[in-house]
Amino acid sequence: MEAVTRDFFLFLSKNKTLNHLAQSRGSNFAAGKIIGGTDFASSIAYIKALNEQGLLVTVDHLGEFVDSPQVAAERTEECIETIRMIHREGLDSQVSLKMTSLGLDIDRELVIANMTRILDEAEKLDIMVTIDMEDVTRCEATLELFKQFKKQYKNVSTVLQAYLYRTEQDLKELSRLNPFLRLVKGAYKESPEHAYPDKADVDTNYMRLIEQSLLAGNYTAIASHDENMIEFTKAMQRKHKIPLEQFEFQMLYGMRTSLQHELVKQGYRVRVYVPYGMDWYGYFMRRLAERPANIAFAFKGMTKK
């Protein structure tokens, strides 16, 4: 049933008609519930409210698979302005982005040039930029770009996906760079050739990666709503006396809000992933596909006053 549910929501995420309807009619409904707003400026008030509650933030301008150099340039400028606004507004926020939004599918030199401009500004203002992971066909290129940027910049991090067979080896290699890593289970539909098809195997690998990353001394973000993974991390911290400053939990805006607040009360760092932009529909469907329990959390969040 879980596989059927996953495939269903992934199918919906790619439906152009539904995506268009969501953009034209549903953005205002989604704002403040599962996205910050349709642009960064409209998200600032929500970010400030989260910060006041002791929650850290990372923001992401939704939209990927850009196939126009002009659009990639526009996304680059928008990201630079977002970094500047975070600094001006005094927000406790980082930035997340996808390489395909900056032109990865167009030209390697283009994405390097665009990302270099972003990281130059992020380094100057001391704001972390996380390179989000995409599907397996772009994994190698994304990690190679991260390695290249990490040699030059302090404020750059990336994401590893537990459902891919390759990730354990990737983590070993990246640990040499003393990285900031976000660990996720993975949201794309991949073949058994590349990814664990069974949830139990993904969960086992996820716990293995958490342990491997923390014991390597990496700053690690455990990005999951799965309380089993959260409890596993807590147990790891106690057993190995890992400093609380070495890791954080990350969760999606509008989902598991009470758990986020409870973790903050317990003294843990919690960062909320706040997306913004018009392309919220595909993002939302992929989040529902990740884990059936997200469906209940999401609709509870969307119906709150």
Side-chain angles (χ1 to χ4, degrees):
M1 180 58 68
E2 183 167 318
V4 172
T5 302
R6 176 184 174 86
D7 289 347
F8 174 68
F9 282 108
L10 287 174
F11 169 77
L12 291 179
S13 74
K14 299 174 184 177
N15 189 294
K16 294 182 179 180
T17 300
L18 291 176
N19 205 328
H20 177 72
L21 286 172
Q23 289 186 25
S24 62
R25 300 182 184 181
S27 295
N28 290 334
F29 175 68
K33 296 182 174 66
I34 59 170
I35 62 172
T38 55
D39 57 24
F40 182 72
S42 63
S43 305
I44 290 175
Y46 299 113
I47 296 169
K48 286 184 176 179
L50 291 168
N51 287 167
E52 289 169 1
Q53 296 163 28
L55 295 160
L56 313 174
V57 170
T58 186
V59 297
D60 180 15
H61 184 185
L62 296 171
E64 53 200 292
F65 309 129
V66 169
D67 58 7
S68 161
Q70 180 180 350
V71 175
E74 291 170 356
R75 289 297 178 89
T76 300
E77 292 296 336
E78 194 277 339
C79 189
I80 291 171
E81 181 57 26
T82 294
I83 290 170
R84 291 171 178 164
M85 291 177 73
I86 288 172
H87 178 72
R88 285 199 301 268
E89 296 287 338
L91 304 176
D92 198 335
S93 178
Q94 300 176 353
V95 173
S96 296
L97 52 76
K98 291 180 173 61
M99 291 291 88
T100 56
S101 72
L102 303 184
L104 179 63
D105 291 349
I106 304 170
D107 179 71
R108 178 180 170 82
E109 295 307 312
L110 174 65
V111 74
I112 290 174
N114 287 336
M115 189 62 174
T116 296
R117 293 189 59 221
I118 290 169
L119 290 176
D120 282 344
E121 194 68 19
E123 204 78 357
K124 182 171 69 174
L125 300 179
D126 196 24
I127 293 172
M128 180 64 70
V129 176
T130 297
I131 300 173
D132 274 336
M133 190 53 67
E134 302 180 66
D135 63 21
V136 71
T137 63
R138 298 171 176 88
C139 182
E140 184 69 26
T142 300
L143 291 179
E144 287 305 314
L145 287 169
F146 170 71
K147 291 173 186 176
Q148 178 175 334
F149 293 132
K150 183 63 177 169
K151 293 176 183 177
Q152 300 173 255
Y153 298 100
K154 176 187 70 173
N155 287 301
V156 61
S157 60
T158 195
V159 179
L160 293 176
Q161 299 166 311
Y163 69 169
L164 295 180
Y165 302 134
R166 61 172 289 163
T167 301
E168 187 173 3
Q169 182 59 37
D170 287 334
L171 178 53
K172 288 179 183 178
E173 294 178 8
L174 292 181
S175 292
R176 301 168 189 162
L177 303 176
N178 188 30
F180 176 152
L181 296 175
R182 178 194 298 160
L183 303 181
V184 303
K185 290 189 181 182
Y188 294 89
K189 183 175 175 60
E190 306 290 3
S191 74
E193 178 184 356
H194 300 289
Y196 294 102
D198 296 330
K199 178 183 180 300
D201 292 330
V202 176
D203 288 352
T204 298
N205 198 42
Y206 193 54
M207 289 187 284
R208 184 161 51 237
L209 296 173
I210 292 170
E211 181 173 16
Q212 181 180 331
S213 186
L214 289 175
L215 293 183
N218 303 329
Y219 186 90
T220 307
I222 296 88
S224 176
H225 298 149
D226 188 337
E227 292 188 52
N228 291 328
M229 303 303 135
I230 293 170
E231 292 303 318
F232 174 80
T233 304
K234 289 180 179 181
M236 274 285 302
Q237 185 271 326
R238 292 190 297 267
K239 178 180 178 181
H240 297 284
K241 296 181 173 55
I242 294 167
L244 294 180
E245 297 76 20
Q246 190 191 321
F247 68 96
E248 65 186 48
F249 296 109
Q250 292 190 1
M251 298 186 197
L252 303 175
Y253 183 52
M255 298 189 192
R256 302 308 306 270
T257 303
S258 60
L259 178 57
Q260 294 170 18
H261 292 158
E262 182 59 31
L263 288 169
V264 169
K265 288 179 182 177
Q266 293 172 6
Y268 296 102
R269 293 168 59 87
V270 180
R271 190 174 305 278
V272 181
Y273 183 92
V274 180
Y276 65 93
M278 298 295 291
D279 295 332
W280 64 273
Y281 170 79
Y283 154 80
F284 186 43
M285 292 299 108
R286 286 196 296 274
R287 299 295 79 76
L288 298 185
E290 280 182 300
R291 188 166 177 251
N294 283 352
I295 300 171
F297 301 143
F299 284 100
K300 181 179 180 181
M302 292 189 76
T303 56
K304 68 182 179 182
K305 294 183 180 181

